[in-house]
Amino acid sequence: MESRDDMSPFVRKLRHGARLTEDDEAILTRLAEPLHRVERGDILPEGTEARSIVLIVEGWACRYKQLENGQRQITSFFVPGDLCEPFGAVPALTDHTLSALTPVRLARVAPHAARSAAGASSRVEEALWWDLLLADAIGREHMVNLGRRSAVERLGHFFCEMHLRLEMVGLVDQSSYDIPLTQAELADLFGLSAVHVNRSLQELRGSGFLSLRDRRITIHNVGALRELSMFDPAYLSLQHRVRT
Amino acid sequence: MESRDDMSPFVRKLRHGARLTEDDEAILTRLAEPLHRVERGDILPEGTEARSIVLIVEGWACRYKQLENGQRQITSFFVPGDLCEPFGAVPALTDHTLSALTPVRLARVAPHAARSAAGASSRVEEALWWDLLLADAIGREHMVNLGRRSAVERLGHFFCEMHLRLEMVGLVDQSSYDIPLTQAELADLFGLSAVHVNRSLQELRGSGFLSLRDRRITIHNVGALRELSMFDPAYLSLQHRVRT
DNA sequence: CGGACTCTTGATTGCAGTCAACTAAAGTGG
DNA sequence: CCACTTTAGTTGACTGCAATCAAGAGTCCG
């Protein structure tokens, strides 16, 4: 049995969603095998038929939609431990592109495997549903970001969110973590132009909220940044309970 | 057995997601009982514990988040046949408010009931997952709307989307349907101000794309409106297939 | 009849986009 | 090994879409 720190990020993450036994964790670990490597770039282009669910084990990925007029909107980000589709997804044509933002190690989970894992243990089932609800909650918050927050607030909110998401899988050191994204990618995430992302970042740096150099961010005052960006961590900690 | 037209909107909708037998439809019909009525206003405020999943049978509802600074963002719309949460949702504190935009008739589905319906028939299971994926796809498209489309495009896209969603449950007559929303509500959906929604609507009316009076919309040229707003119906018709 | 909504219109403001130029770093190939 | 290209980040000038502020009209309702 692996030590707690060696566990896959997927298992580490799902521990937040249900009280897992060793058997449960073994089931989940088996789901995340075998590993594949992919380079930076599209993994599943739009219109491809998805026959398996991608689970990110290492690296960052995103899902985006490309518009006819050349614009792009990133709709979600994936970090180690994240499932890129709902665990019960039916094989279907994708309406979006799944893309690796860095070289990625991933596992391809067959839909029937994920469902039967849920059937094998009610705690695994709870954990998988918890993970799905978490992804939804992140998506909703992203909509609020896009619709109602200013550029600086969007950036601040995102950095707060990634801080907690990465902490769940042990990828945060103090208040700093790697963030392998270009400003253009951030722009496509926030629905802004790259130029404006640049200026907003400078504002956040200039006001002392954070440092961002060489693809690593350090948040100097988490409380202040959360207040600035109206970040309420509640949506990331959907509390779990044993099913009755 | 009810005739095809009398079926609940939920069953009508899920028929698009899987080939249901009469037994399957009976299972789904039973899920949508008994009915409750609620008046216009919040159904489940943020922070409430959701112990059941709301299914809209008649009327319109939405989910929104309220920001500290008074702004509001609607993250999703629900019309008859829509499940307001993933069907396997765990009882948990909600991070958003579910609100009735009109008087609503709804059913409260117990999570275990939804899951056991899925367990009872693989076709029902497929249909429920299809519905969940559809809701996700709608959410992604909403993000694209918020992030990358102009005000006029957002409105146009939404009208095209509702046209198809309502058609699925038989609520469209020709190219016109009831749309019981104020301009302020549309503004909170699109991340715009009510004033700007008003002006954008006038632009759409003035250019002859649609009429909107007395809470009823008529789209005069669906093709033209789709082109204007870069609406691609593909995301709403995730094709289904029998699980292997 | 007053009050609350909803819709409309005008005037002004401001956040973010676009265009453009420049630097620096990093990869590529002859 | 060094031109050449590409990518990422930065800065300035200007533009424009949408927000804000404000006021008025029509409707519904108690």
Side-chain angles (χ1 to χ4, degrees), chain A residues 65 72 140-141 148 188, chain B residues 65 72 141 148 188:
Chain A
K65 283 207 161 200
R72 194 171 83 129
R140 280 192 290 275
E141 205 54 42
R148 290 300 188 196
D188 285 337
Chain B
K65 284 208 160 198
R72 193 171 84 129
E141 204 56 39
R148 292 299 188 196
D188 285 336

Side-chain angles (χ1 to χ4, degrees), chain A residues 70-113:
Chain A
Q71 300 206 89
R72 194 171 83 129
Q73 177 65 50
I74 293 177
T75 55
S76 39
F77 257 87
F78 303 109
V79 294
D82 286 345
L83 226 31
C84 301
E85 304 263 356
F87 70 91
V90 197
L93 292 185
T94 56
D95 65 327
H96 57 262
T97 304
L98 183 64
S99 182
L101 296 165
T102 66
V104 157
R105 286 203 304 157
L106 56 83
R108 294 183 171 276
V109 182
H112 67 84

Side-chain angles (χ1 to χ4, degrees), chain B residues 153-167:
Chain B
E153 288 164 356
R154 289 181 211 192
L155 287 162
H157 193 279
F158 176 71
F159 295 140
C160 289
E161 177 183 306
M162 293 319 295
H163 180 225
L164 288 186
R165 286 175 65 182
L166 291 169
E167 200 167 52

Side-chain angles (χ1 to χ4, degrees), chain B residues 12-64:
Chain B
R12 284 189 77 145
K13 183 185 178 196
L14 289 209
R15 277 192 189 134
H16 295 266
R19 289 215 181 78
L20 301 174
T21 65
E22 289 190 8
D23 283 351
D24 295 334
E25 299 196 351
I27 291 172
L28 290 170
T29 301
R30 241 174 285 126
L31 269 190
E33 290 165 346
L35 291 187
H36 304 265
R37 281 169 199 277
V38 302
E39 285 310 302
R40 208 166 176 291
D42 292 350
I43 302 171
L44 281 178
E46 184 178 337
T48 333
E49 187 172 348
R51 296 201 139 282
S52 59
I53 302 163
V54 171
L55 168 66
I56 304 296
V57 174
E58 191 182 323
W60 287 43
C62 74
R63 183 155 53 193
Y64 69 84

